[in-house]
Structures are given as C-alpha cells and as structure tokens.
Amino acid sequence: MAGLRSGAGAPSGRRRALAAAFTVLPLLLLTCCVRCVESSKPSNIIVVLADDQDVQLGGMMPIKKTKALIGAAGATFVNAFTVTPLCCPSRSSILTGRYPHNHEVRNNSLTGNCSSALWQKGPEAEAFPIYLSKQKYQTFFAGKYLNQYGKKEVGDVAHVPPGWDQWHALVGNSQYYNYTLSVNGKAEKHGDSYEKDYLTDLIVNRSLRFLDDRSPQHPFFLMLSPPAPHSPWMAAPQYQKMFSDVKAPRDGSFNKLGKDKHWLLRQPVNPMPNSSINFLDDAYRKRWQTLLSVDDMVEMLVKKLDSMKELDNTYIFYTSDNGYHTGQFSLPIDKRQLYEFDIRIPLMVRGPGIKPNQTLQAPVLNIDLAPTILDISGVNLSTVNVDGQSFLAQMAPSLRNGTAQPFFLVEYTGEGHPTTDPACPKLGPGLSQCFPDCVCEDAYNNTYACVRTLDSKNNLQYCEFADSESFVEVYNLTSDPHQLENIVKKVDPTILQAMNQRLIKLQSCVGDSCRNID
C-alpha cells in the first residue's frame, strides 16, 4: 500500500516540480537578458579626419568609395559646419567639444595657443579621449594632431596627450614624406620611400595592426588624421596622373571682386592674372589626387571591420577640420574666411541604428562631434564640459531624443606679421599668407565673429569684424547662396539688432548657454 501511495503520488509531484520550473524560468531568462545587456560590449567608434577638405567646391568628388561605404550606408549631413575655419583651433574644438573662445586656441601659432603649455594643462586634459579611456575603450591615434605638436618648447615628442593607448602623431603640420612621428613618446623619423613612409598609407596600416592586436573584450576608438588634401599635395605614385583635365570650378564667386566686403577681400587683383589661375588649378587637381589614398584607407578599414565581424557594431565618422577655397573672390588658395566654402565641412556617419541613405538637413557643428562620441560610449553628457550637443538623435532617432541648434557661432582670430612683407610694402604690416601680386589671405584685422541661423524659415549670416572699421557683413543665403551681396544696408534694422544680441550672447557662452540661444 505504501508503494502504491508513492507511485500514485509521483505524477502529482512531477507536475508541481514542472510548474515551479516554468514559474522560475521566465525570471531566469529575464535575469540573463539583463546581464547580457549589461555585459555586452559598447559600440566601437572610428573618426577619419581629413585636412582642409571642402564640400562646397567639389572636394567630395574623388572619394567615391567613401561616399558609398559610409554616406550611402548611413547618414550624410549636408549642413555641417566648423566653428572656426583653420586647422589648429578647429581640431581643438573637435577634441574638446568647445568653441575657440572657451578652449582659447586662436590660430596655428604657439602664441595663439596651438598645442601650447596652456592648452596641455587645460583643455587637452579634459578632451574626449580621456572619457573614452575611463569607459574602457582601447584608443588609437595616427596622423596630424595639432600644427605645433612636438615642438621642443612644449614637451617635444615625449608629450603624449592623456587618454591615448597608442599614439602615432605627426610632429608639426601636414607632410606626406620626410617627417617625424611621436610613436608613444619616442621620435621616429621617416624619409621619402613610398612603401615605407607615405603618411596616409602608414596611418591605415598601423590602424589595421592595432585592430589585430586589440583585446576583443573591450571596445575600441580610432582617430585617423591623414594629411590629405592639405599642401604640399603629394599624391601616391599611382595617382599622380589622375584628373589631368580637372580645373577649379568657375561658378559662384570664382574670380569675383569682393565688393562691399571687409578690407582683406577688397585688396586682391581682379580679374586674377593667368599665373594665379594656373596655380590654383594645379593645386585643385593635386588635392583631388591626394584624396584617392584616403578613399583607399576607408575601404581597407571597412573590409577589416567586416572580416572581424565588427562592422555592424562600429560607428564610422568621416569629416574635415575646415573647408577651402580656390579662386573665390579672387583669393588663390586657403581657408580662414567666413564664407560658406571655408566653413562648411563634409560629415558622413554609419553605424548601429543609423538607417542607410539618409540625407539630413539639420545644422551640425564640429563641436558636436565630441559629445556625440561620448554619447555613443555611454558617458553621461551632463557631467562633461562641452558647448556642443550630441547629434546621435538625428542619425538614429530610436536611440535618443534631441533638437537641432537654431543659432550657432563661427569665430576666428586673424594672424599677421608685425613687420611689413618685403614683397608688399604698400600694404603695411599685419598681414600673412601673401601670394604674388600682394594678395594676402590673412591679417590681424581678419578677426571676426558670425552668428549663423539655418532653418526652414531663415538662412542668414551676420558677421562683425574687430577692425578699425567695425565692419559688418550680412548675407541672405536663400536668395544669395554665393554671398555676393552684403545686405547690411538693406536689411530690417530690427533683424540686425536681434542678430547682434545673439552674437553677443554666443561670444560669451559656456556649456549649456551655447545650446540655448533664442
């Protein structure tokens, strides 16, 4: 009887055990899912930062593979801007997420705080790589950092900015051959062998090696900063005969007189002499040629990520530090001006949650790159001192909520020489970047601040110069996209007053106040 009772009771006991198991199972699965999410590796991030690549004058034409592999596979921002159109202050803004008036890098000189001791002790010690390192990212840098980096007065090559695990930084300004690198704080000299020394290729080769040697347990961040298409425009041997029939675009403001513009734009010879036009056409072709190696770089990176099965978990940003001009308003070649050709930059991004083939209209600034990168990495942005804001929401609305900036600042501090240029004695002191025929691209009084608004109703630019004239330029870019007519004397005075007040607020803004200008 006892055996029978035991046998008869067994199915009931099994049912109770099974019922208990099915009750516990969802809890176990839920716990597992939470732990999986908590332990899952954050997304990897790569930034490719070109040097002086314009977007207004055809600068994106040569990089067809990049546009297919990043732009078509993700988002292209057609209204991306630098907050200052010069290498060192712009790169400082990218690293810190701050306007120049807050990181205090004014131009490309040591006295202008480019990679100075003041920069190293302050903004550089708070740049975004430090936060990524704290988030357990494996960090890698290769290429041009800041124009005065590696100078003996400011730490020489031994100075490695905090936050970087692997450091392969160019000493000084862009070069393709015959340069020195700081490799994790030690000098490495390079010559003129294409196979060993061509900087664009060296950067990508070392980045691929870093990816091979990385720890798969942690995410990675790579910043690749090739010299192209910056002067001295030395293309790889296989590309030196490309684009032989290409010339700088002749439309828009090309070879136009800088009428009603600040003094520096009124002084070029117009029409331009043939010698200047031939020179800028040659520069334009060579710039395109150098970009073909950058295009190869992006292709190699994407293929590597695909082979590692990391492509779908990696955000890839492609951008430039500033735009460029070749003949606009009769200025031969350079940047440093407030006009669209110098302040608009390329920006394409692909990555998790970003739908392909997006063309996004909302304005984005280079000071927005740092907070976007930190947003992706999981950093709480309220704990970071930045003037920009994350644009992750614009690329992948399902991941974040956010709004575009209705007003933003473009500011620049002109560079000049205290003595008169011997070739241009009539122009006096205070000028720099002078070409033949006394056409100078910069001057002390080429110091300006602009407020820009770009939305469905307004597309305006208002600029004030710190010069003896207190010169003002105003453009309606809807009716005048090439900025041929300064409408300061025609526009409604109430609009001028409103723009002036916004400019005053922006020039003194810090952090959150930079993102909330009405």
Side-chain angles (χ1 to χ4, degrees):
M1 294 291 293
L4 181 60
R5 282 195 299 270
S6 173
S12 177
R14 281 197 295 269
R15 283 196 295 271
R16 284 196 298 270
L18 284 170
F22 281 117
T23 301
V24 172
L25 184 60
L27 295 174
L28 291 172
L29 288 171
L30 179 62
T31 303
C32 176
C33 288
V34 171
R35 285 175 179 168
C36 288
V37 169
E38 288 176 347
S39 63
S40 65
K41 189 177 69 173
S43 296
N44 311 303
I45 310 166
I46 297 177
V47 174
V48 179
L49 177 63
D51 196 354
D52 285 2
Q53 186 175 7
D54 69 276
V55 70
Q56 285 289 96
L57 306 175
M60 300 295 284
M61 291 292 290
I63 56 168
K64 292 186 167 92
K65 291 182 285 190
T66 300
K67 289 189 289 185
L69 293 169
I70 301 180
T76 298
F77 289 85
V78 294
N79 288 310
F81 295 86
T82 179
V83 296
T84 186
L86 188 63
C87 302
C88 197
S90 175
R91 288 164 182 262
S92 302
S93 285
I94 290 169
L95 289 162
T96 62
R98 301 177 193 172
Y99 280 117
H101 68 263
N102 287 327
H103 62 59
E104 298 186 306
V105 178
R106 295 184 296 276
N107 50 46
N108 284 347
S109 65
L110 269 178
T111 55
N113 277 331
C114 180
S115 202
S116 66
L118 182 66
W119 155 262
Q120 292 174 8
K121 291 175 184 176
E124 187 179 66
E126 300 172 343
F128 75 77
I130 294 164
Y131 292 89
L132 292 178
S133 183
K134 290 177 180 177
Q135 294 289 97
K136 307 299 184 185
Y137 272 74
Q138 302 162 88
T139 57
F140 172 91
F141 181 90
K144 176 178 171 178
Y145 181 57
L146 300 173
N147 297 56
Q148 300 297 330
Y149 172 75
K151 293 294 177 72
K152 291 183 179 179
E153 306 97 299
V154 285
D156 211 333
V157 297
H159 172 68
V160 177
W164 297 104
D165 298 323
Q166 285 290 319
W167 181 251
H168 303 257
L170 178 67
V171 174
N173 203 0
S174 286
Q175 294 292 329
Y176 298 80
Y177 297 105
N178 300 306
Y179 54 85
T180 300
L181 292 180
S182 169
V183 178
N184 300 320
K186 295 183 179 180
E188 181 181 280
K189 293 189 179 299
H190 285 265
D192 56 6
S193 164
Y194 171 68
E195 290 76 13
K196 296 179 182 178
D197 304 312
Y198 191 68
L199 184 55
T200 304
D201 291 358
L202 180 146
I203 289 168
V204 69
N205 290 336
R206 293 197 178 180
S207 71
L208 298 180
R209 193 183 313 158
F210 172 80
L211 291 173
D212 283 333
D213 296 341
R214 84 200 191 285
S215 166
Q217 279 74 41
H218 297 290
F220 54 81
F221 172 79
L222 281 70
M223 189 167 187
L224 310 184
S225 187
H230 196 286
S231 62
W233 312 307
M234 300 184 75
Q238 65 269 30
Y239 297 135
Q240 289 177 1
K241 293 183 180 179
M242 297 293 288
F243 310 123
S244 58
D245 297 328
V246 168
K247 293 182 178 181
R250 276 13 182 202
D251 56 355
S253 56
F254 181 83
N255 204 7
K256 293 278 174 53
L257 187 67
K259 185 181 178 183
D260 297 326
K261 289 179 166 49
H262 66 286
W263 175 82
L264 193 64
L265 270 288
R266 300 197 296 264
Q267 52 88 28
V269 177
N270 182 269
M272 301 175 76
N274 287 335
S275 57
S276 293
I277 292 177
N278 291 336
F279 170 77
L280 67 86
D281 277 339
D282 184 59
Y284 190 88
R285 278 190 296 273
K286 288 178 177 177
R287 283 165 53 78
W288 275 27
Q289 291 168 358
T290 65
L291 283 167
L292 293 173
S293 293
V294 179
D295 208 29
D296 292 341
M297 167 191 285
V298 171
E299 181 184 41
M300 293 172 71
L301 276 171
V302 170
K303 285 183 176 179
K304 181 67 172 179
L305 292 170
D306 193 33
S307 70
M308 294 161 46
K309 298 192 171 18
E310 291 282 3
L311 183 58
D312 291 339
N313 190 38
T314 302
Y315 288 90
I316 308 176
F317 294 73
Y318 186 95
T319 190
S320 174
D321 49 7
N322 47 256
Y324 206 71
H325 58 255
T326 45
Q328 282 61 49
F329 297 119
S330 299
L331 295 172
I333 55 161
D334 201 49
K335 47 267 184 169
R336 306 169 205 256
Q337 304 302 325
L338 57 91
Y339 308 105
E340 296 286 279
F341 41 74
D342 284 356
I343 66 172
R344 281 184 177 266
I345 55 174
L347 178 59
M348 300 181 291
V349 193
R350 68 172 290 168
I354 304 176
K355 294 179 180 178
N357 290 307
Q358 291 187 77
T359 300
L360 301 179
Q361 301 288 337
V364 169
L365 311 178
N366 63 345
I367 57 170
D368 298 335
L369 283 165
T372 303
I373 290 165
L374 295 180
D375 195 4
I376 291 167
S377 75
V379 170
N380 181 351
L381 295 181
S382 67
T383 65
V384 184
N385 178 16
V386 293
D387 302 331
Q389 64 183 16
S390 171
F391 55 86
L392 181 59
Q394 295 183 40
M395 300 186 292
S398 62
L399 301 181
R400 294 285 187 277
N401 293 317
T403 56
Q405 299 185 54
F407 303 100
F408 57 90
L409 177 69
V410 176
E411 55 187 342
Y412 178 68
T413 301
E415 289 183 80
H417 300 299
T419 56
T420 299
D421 189 324
C424 305
K426 65 178 181 179
L427 295 180
L431 295 141
S432 66
Q433 315 297 318
C434 295
F435 286 87
D437 303 310
C438 297
V439 179
C440 300
E441 294 276 1
D442 207 1
Y444 286 136
N445 66 358
N446 184 39
T447 296
Y448 56 82
C450 305
V451 62
R452 185 83 162 77
T453 177
L454 200 167
D455 57 31
S456 58
K457 296 179 181 178
N458 297 297
N459 190 1
L460 299 174
Q461 184 181 35
Y462 172 94
C463 302
E464 295 181 1
F465 282 81
D467 60 15
S468 59
E469 298 177 287
S470 297
F471 203 79
V472 176
E473 296 188 31
V474 182
Y475 298 98
N476 181 337
L477 286 110
T478 300
S479 59
D480 180 22
H482 301 297
Q483 296 163 291
L484 300 175
E485 184 184 10
N486 178 6
I487 59 171
V488 65
K489 295 178 182 178
K490 296 180 179 181
V491 72
D492 185 334
T494 59
I495 294 177
L496 291 180
Q497 184 178 11
M499 296 294 268
N500 168 264
Q501 291 303 306
R502 291 183 185 117
L503 184 58
I504 291 171
K505 290 179 182 178
L506 279 166
Q507 284 185 281
S508 59
C509 75
V510 179
D512 188 59
S513 65
C514 298
R515 301 184 288 272
N516 293 294
I517 302 292
D518 55 21

